[in-house]
């Protein structure tokens, strides 16, 4: 038995059908999507800004008994800044026309508690090393919420 001759037209039609079934098209490729900021760098910048605000609250009270708490926040801030790329600026403090809100131990305790509660959600966008730092910071903040004195 002799094989049937296949015409060139049949081969081209079969190839076109295969391309259509496979989803291939002759459209030009789209430009690659623009890459946004690294989520970890965004997280670091947010953490730095938050630590700066917390330190400012401790400074506003200015109590000697709170210096160890403030010092731990300053150590956290230094480590976070060390990990932040130099090209990514941190938020500069803004000048306020109104007086700062009243700072109390109750407010500090609330800030510490809320910050500690936020840390587990921040771990999703963090590398293992940063996740370990964030978890440690959260544990420290939780301890602060419990250890802050009731009065000065």
């Amino acid at each position: 038995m002799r094989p049937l001759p296949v015409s060139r037209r049949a081969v081209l039609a079969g190839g076109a059908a295969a391309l259509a079934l496979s989803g291939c098209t002759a459209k030009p490729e789209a430009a690659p999507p623009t890459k946004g900021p690294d989520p970890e760098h965004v997280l670091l910048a947010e953490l730095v800004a938050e630590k700066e605000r917390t330190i400012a609250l401790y400074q506003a009270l200015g109590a000697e008994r709170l210096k160890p708490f403030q010092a731990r926040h300053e150590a956290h801030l230094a480590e976070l800044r060390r990990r932040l790329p130099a090209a990514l600026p941190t938020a500069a403090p803004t000048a306020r026309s109104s007086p700062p809100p009243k700072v109390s131990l109750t407010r500090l305790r609330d800030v510490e508690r809320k910050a500690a509660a936020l840390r587990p959600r921040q771990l999703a966008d963090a590398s293992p090393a940063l996740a370990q730092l964030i978890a440690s910071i959260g544990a420290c903040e939780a301890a602060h919420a419990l250890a802050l004195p009731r009065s000065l």
Side-chain angles (χ1 to χ4, degrees):
M1 189 186 303
R2 284 181 66 195
L4 295 173
V6 180
S7 69
R8 183 173 167 214
R9 183 172 295 197
V11 170
L12 290 175
L19 284 174
L21 289 175
S22 70
C24 291
T25 62
K27 293 180 187 174
E29 288 188 31
T34 57
K35 191 174 181 180
D38 181 354
E40 187 164 296
H41 293 164
V42 171
L43 175 59
L44 277 166
E46 290 170 1
L47 288 165
V48 165
E50 182 184 333
K51 282 294 170 186
E52 289 170 343
R53 287 189 299 271
T54 302
I55 291 168
L57 292 174
Y58 276 95
Q59 289 171 338
L61 271 178
E64 194 61 35
R65 286 180 68 185
L66 300 179
K67 294 293 182 194
F69 295 92
Q70 181 180 331
R72 285 186 283 275
H73 283 291
E74 290 168 347
H76 299 159
L77 178 61
E79 182 59 25
L80 290 166
R81 281 186 175 151
R82 187 184 71 75
R83 293 167 183 257
L84 193 62
L88 197 64
T90 59
T94 57
R96 294 183 179 198
S97 56
S98 61
K102 184 180 176 192
V103 180
S104 66
L105 287 171
T106 303
R107 177 146 185 236
L108 279 177
R109 203 172 288 105
D110 190 46
V111 165
E112 295 281 14
R113 194 176 298 115
K114 286 179 180 177
L118 179 63
R119 301 301 172 235
R121 290 184 296 244
Q122 293 172 327
L123 300 177
D125 291 329
S127 65
L130 181 58
Q132 183 178 14
L133 176 61
I134 291 171
S136 296
I137 289 172
C140 187
E141 291 161 337
H144 284 186
L146 296 173
L148 278 167
R150 295 287 172 198
S151 64
L152 293 176

